[in-house]
Amino acid sequence: MTPVDDRPAAPPAPAPRRRVNPVLALLRNSWRQLTSMRTALMLLFLLAVAAIPGSVLPQRGVNPERVDQYFVDHPEWAPRLDRIGAFEVFGSVWFSAIYLLLFVSLVGCITPRMRDHVRALRARPPAAPKRLERLPQHAVLAAPAAADPAAIAAVLRRRRWRTEVRGNEVSAEKGYLKETGNLLFHTSLVAVLLGVALNSWYGWHGNRLLVAGEDNAFCNTRQQYAEAKLGPRVDSADLPPFCLTLERFEARFLESGQPEFFNATVSVEEQGKAARAADFSVNSPLRLDGANVYLLGHGYAPVIRYTDRFGRSQTSTVPFLTTGDMGLTSEGLAAFPDANVDPKTGRRDPNLQMAFTGLYLPTAPDSPPFVRSQYPTERNPALNLIAYRGNLGLDAGIPGSVYKLDQRQVDAGRVKQVGDKLLRRGESWKLDDGTTVEFLGTERYVTLSVRKDPGSTLLLVSSGTLLLGLMGSLFGRRRRVWFRVVPAGGDPGNGSPTSGSSLVEAGGLPRTDNPGFADEFTQLVTAVRGDAKPAGSREGAE
């Protein structure tokens, strides 16, 4: 007899573990973390936080003068902030890193969801569960004759339900708008990032102050801008050629001083086209080939004539910058560095250079103090001048503002105040050395922003679709309903056949939180049955 081996069988040898490359595992896990929705939300929050310094601190691309003033006011903190790019936030390495990571995260998050959503849209509604009475919504309808599943499906399709007929069952589904809106929202957000990137790489802008008059034409070259910024993919030679001349500027104000109407009339000369006149205002920019011109502000440029001790006259039209009040009180500087040149020797004494700081009041008060205009239009114009004589420092090549006197020269005693006077239009003032200064009148000026934003159309469209997608994501509700036709006397749960009139069993399931689904299910049941009410129902399917 063969002996029986009662020993337990040895367990099967474990399958050899597959070695995983640690580098590939790290990359795979990092990609999963980066493309998760949680990471995308964190990066979006970090992007918003990173943009705060760009709103709080002055930026070189927007206002370089304020950046310089910040260095003067905060000599200790300004260099430290400059080293981390706080004055060029939106072009800094750390802001660009967050921006690119958010872009990659959104693309990696959207792509698989988009694929699954397309697959779900193409799939047929699922078959009915066996026990419809276990669903949150359930009803049984008595039909006077044999019910037709095709007729039930037609009723549902008229209410925009996706239907599928399987024998005596009808499956219907609705509410894909929620996921569609969600994907549309995130896709639009990616498009917004692309639009911002296009504006940053291929866009450019420049600001220019333009005084009215034929001799003050402005041509679109980088050298003629007060400040300009070109994208990394834009060269100075790429700027479209055109010239502008401000013919006139109209402004109307209410009696309260509030602005009512602005309009600038310019003469435009574009390459290969005849000169033409064009009008534009604050909310209606001038659109040219390759650029748009926006009206940012306006003001007055006093016309000042200075006659030196040798009888030579110089006339300067000087834009005065507004101080920010509603009356358009303005201040500025009129400098005459080439005054008092000896006509015989041609020698110029730098210590005899003249400068006038002024405060212009379009509507001056009738009595002192003359420090603020009472209305923005010229009802009673007055120019309050302070005269300075000395070395203005312009020959030394020291950079400075054309709108303010270099206070360092005054503090060093190189420039001294020699008097002050309030001038009305047409009046003159004789200084202590026999020279005279006259206030001849004013010209209007405008401040313009010339820019090209190649991603603006994409930004506009994507912003609109982003809002639409957000509304669809918030208000869309996915739900499913099933109808099963069974003979009367049979069990609606298993559909056992008997003779007699038919019954229609209905069930509904909301896929998301939907407080109004019970009422909608009741309306569907009523529509299928006609005017008759359900023979039996529960949970609001009355």
Side-chain angles (χ1 to χ4, degrees), residues 209 253 297-302 304 318-334 356-364 370-378 381-386 403-404 422 439 442-445:
L209 187 148
F253 300 87
H298 65 98
Y300 296 94
I304 300 173
V318 189
F320 276 30
L321 303 182
T322 59
T323 58
D325 65 349
M326 294 181 60
L328 287 186
T329 305
S330 310
E331 57 184 6
L333 170 69
F356 301 88
T357 61
L359 187 70
Y360 179 66
L361 312 176
T363 303
F370 302 102
V371 295
R372 178 174 294 183
S373 174
Q374 297 179 333
Y375 196 72
T377 60
E378 295 181 315
L383 180 62
N384 196 354
L385 288 180
I386 301 176
Y403 301 106
K404 293 182 179 180
L422 180 72
F439 173 36
T442 59
E443 295 285 355
R444 300 304 300 265
Y445 76 81

Side-chain angles (χ1 to χ4, degrees), residues 206-213 216 218 224-226 244-251 261-267 278 280-282 286 293-301 317-322 328 403 443-450:
N207 295 336
R208 167 72 189 222
L209 187 148
L210 189 59
V211 181
N216 298 314
F218 154 70
Q224 294 201 24
Y225 284 109
L244 297 178
T245 302
L246 179 63
E247 302 293 343
R248 64 180 181 276
F249 177 77
E250 301 176 63
F261 171 79
F262 295 133
N263 186 75
T265 301
V266 295
S267 176
F280 63 101
S281 58
V282 175
L286 174 62
V293 183
Y294 298 87
L295 181 62
L296 298 183
H298 65 98
Y300 296 94
T317 303
V318 189
F320 276 30
L321 303 182
T322 59
L328 287 186
Y403 301 106
E443 295 285 355
R444 300 304 300 265
Y445 76 81
V446 295
T447 52
L448 304 176
S449 176
V450 185

Side-chain angles (χ1 to χ4, degrees), residues 144-198:
D148 184 8
I152 297 176
V155 173
L156 296 176
R157 281 195 295 269
R158 285 197 295 269
R159 293 174 175 260
R160 297 187 298 276
W161 287 76
R162 294 176 60 218
T163 61
E164 179 71 21
V165 178
R166 296 181 177 91
N168 66 331
E169 294 180 351
V170 179
S171 303
E173 193 169 19
K174 192 177 184 181
Y176 284 98
L177 181 62
K178 183 177 183 64
E179 182 64 13
T180 302
N182 201 327
L183 290 173
L184 183 61
F185 172 81
H186 290 89
T187 305
S188 300
L189 188 58
V190 173
V192 168
L193 295 178
L194 279 175
V196 173
L198 284 175

Side-chain angles (χ1 to χ4, degrees), residues 129-139 482 484 493 505-509 538-539:
K130 185 176 181 180
R131 309 294 296 187
L132 291 179
E133 67 273 10
R134 295 180 179 179
L135 297 178
Q137 302 297 327
H138 178 257
W482 294 272
R484 178 182 292 135
E505 184 183 15
L509 175 66
R538 70 178 167 86
E539 295 198 22

Side-chain angles (χ1 to χ4, degrees), residues 348 350 353 391-399 406 409 414:
R348 183 185 63 181
Q353 294 176 345
N391 190 343
L392 302 179
L394 301 179
D395 298 334
I398 302 174
D406 190 349
Q409 297 294 99
R414 302 186 185 95

